[in-house]
Amino acid sequence: MKRGSSGWVGGGIYWADTEAETHGKTQNIGRTLQAKVQLGRTLTVTPTSADSNMTYSKLQNLGYDSVKLTGPSTGDEYVVYNSDQVSKIDYAR
């Protein structure tokens, strides 16, 4: 899995809790993926406190493994920065 180059909290791999929540977030039309995502210790931020230059190194220096972005109108988003945090990838049914 390849991470994006930009976003609310930098170039990461962005996830939602449900398939329905992905519809307001995606930029492309396509299939929805379902996966097991290892969040570890999660830093919670809002759009006003989000760092669009976040990287995994910065996050690790803060003592976290992932980011939870709360407040967007389409539901929470979870962000990881390493493909090894994502497993059991399949198409949503």
Side-chain angles (χ1 to χ4, degrees):
M1 172 128 315
K2 186 177 174 183
R3 70 175 171 255
S5 59
S6 63
W8 281 98
V9 285
I13 306 169
Y14 286 66
W15 299 92
D17 281 320
T18 67
E19 183 177 359
E21 290 177 346
T22 66
H23 297 294
K25 300 175 183 305
T26 59
Q27 296 176 3
N28 300 308
I29 297 171
R31 301 275 313 260
T32 302
L33 298 178
Q34 180 176 323
K36 181 176 182 179
V37 181
Q38 299 294 327
L39 298 174
R41 187 165 173 195
T42 304
L43 173 67
T44 301
V45 299
T46 64
T48 57
S49 66
D51 176 0
S52 64
N53 295 309
M54 182 61 74
T55 64
Y56 187 65
S57 295
K58 279 179 151 180
L59 193 60
Q60 288 279 279
N61 286 338
L62 295 171
Y64 296 95
D65 305 297
S66 64
V67 176
K68 178 181 180 181
L69 178 62
T70 63
S73 60
T74 56
D76 295 341
E77 297 181 36
Y78 298 86
V79 185
V80 295
Y81 298 86
N82 294 307
S83 59
D84 63 355
Q85 290 175 274
V86 182
S87 62
K88 298 183 182 179
I89 303 168
D90 199 359
Y91 291 111
R93 299 190 200 326

